[in-house]
Amino acid sequence: MSNQLITPHFLSRAVRQLEADLGALLLVRSPSGVALTAAGAVLLEEARSLLAGAERARSRVAAAAGRTGLTVGILGDGTDPGVSRSAAAFRRSRPDVDVRVRETDLTDPTCGLRAGLVDVALTRAPFDGTGLAVRTLRADPVGVVVRADDPLARRERLRLAELADRRWFRFPPGTDPRWQAYWHGGVPREGPVVRGVQECLQAVVWSGTIGLMPLGHELPAELAVVPLVDLAPSRVVVAWNEGSGDPLVRAFVETATAAYRA
């Protein structure tokens, strides 16, 4: 029976049954593939909301049961030394706390905070801060990442106006507008759509596109980063829900603030 559950025939039959129950076509099927209809896109969005709600319910039930835990959201990769120092300091001060980490891609700069999937986030601004408290931990200068054989790689510094005719890596539709505007240099860009740090770098390697990244990160030999002089630094921040009375959240915020100043 378990093998039948994962067969394409079973899945197709299940989708058709769901379409019959809802009275709406969810998928458009053609020789070239399958695509969501407008109704299917709405159902997908609702399903994601239900999953987020289930995660919120899990957290609330755990808290009601008296279990001590904290879920921390982290953007991109975890190579920032400030993240490691924050983790070590929090472990020392609260060894009894069960810390869960949720790493998210670049399409959600709140790391699931707004959706209720995390209690606190170590991330980068700017993003829509409605309903959130945000504290700056560090500000990093930004550079333009290019292939090492790109003529721009020989420059000591660059300005945004010099990049107007280049293809950039960019984020999917629906990504936070303030976040997109910052990392696109304030104007719409054309180029491959990416979701994660490694996808950004691979887009440069494979397609010769360019993009922005904080200075100070190690890069593969085939890539180079040139400082950009006319964009405000990228702010590393800790963010949490405004008005949260959770003492563990407050303790984490203070720990992270001290760790980033160390």
Side-chain angles (χ1 to χ4, degrees):
M1 180 65 177
S2 60
N3 288 337
Q4 290 180 333
L5 290 175
I6 60 174
T7 62
H9 176 70
F10 180 89
L11 291 175
S12 179
R13 189 169 70 245
V15 170
R16 291 185 185 279
Q17 181 61 54
L18 182 58
E19 289 176 327
D21 292 343
L22 295 174
L25 189 67
L26 302 176
L27 300 175
V28 176
R29 303 163 181 87
S30 68
S32 60
V34 178
L36 286 172
T37 63
V42 170
L43 180 61
L44 178 61
E45 182 179 350
E46 291 295 328
R48 286 172 173 165
S49 296
L50 287 172
L51 289 173
E55 182 68 13
R56 287 194 296 271
R58 184 205 64 76
S59 299
R60 294 181 63 187
V61 169
R67 292 193 294 274
T68 303
L70 186 74
T71 302
V72 179
I74 298 176
L75 183 72
D77 60 26
T79 58
D80 185 337
V83 174
S84 301
R85 290 197 301 270
S86 298
F90 195 74
R91 281 199 311 271
R92 289 193 299 269
S93 64
R94 300 292 180 113
D96 58 322
V97 175
D98 178 24
V99 178
R100 299 178 63 206
V101 175
R102 183 178 188 270
E103 185 175 283
T104 60
D105 61 30
L106 301 177
T107 65
D108 180 13
T110 74
C111 303
L113 186 61
R114 194 178 302 285
L117 301 180
V118 301
D119 302 305
V120 63
L122 286 172
T123 182
R124 287 185 180 272
F127 49 80
D128 179 8
T130 305
L132 304 179
V134 180
R135 180 182 294 180
T136 299
L137 302 176
R138 192 183 68 220
D140 296 330
V142 173
V144 183
V145 59
V146 297
R147 274 204 314 232
D149 60 359
D150 192 305
L152 293 180
R154 297 192 292 270
R155 298 285 299 276
E156 292 186 2
R157 61 187 63 85
L158 287 165
R159 293 184 177 275
L160 284 167
E162 299 176 272
L163 309 172
D165 61 343
R166 296 294 299 266
R167 284 168 53 83
W168 290 50
F169 53 72
R170 56 195 179 93
F171 304 120
T175 300
D176 185 290
R178 293 184 62 187
W179 173 261
Q180 289 194 79
Y182 177 85
W183 291 107
H184 292 166
V187 298
R189 303 292 181 178
E190 293 296 328
V193 174
V194 297
R195 302 181 68 90
V197 173
Q198 290 304 314
E199 287 184 18
C200 294
L201 300 181
Q202 292 302 321
V204 179
V205 172
W206 287 87
S207 304
T209 58
I210 66 170
L212 304 183
M213 67 176 295
L215 298 181
H217 288 260
E218 292 188 9
L219 289 174
E222 60 267 36
L223 295 177
V225 62
V226 182
L228 188 66
V229 299
D230 56 348
L231 188 67
S234 167
R235 293 186 295 123
V236 179
V237 302
V238 58
W240 65 101
N241 286 304
E242 196 172 46
S244 172
D246 189 334
L248 286 181
V249 170
R250 293 198 301 270
F252 184 87
V253 169
E254 296 307 321
T255 299
T257 301
Y260 271 83
R261 288 174 179 168

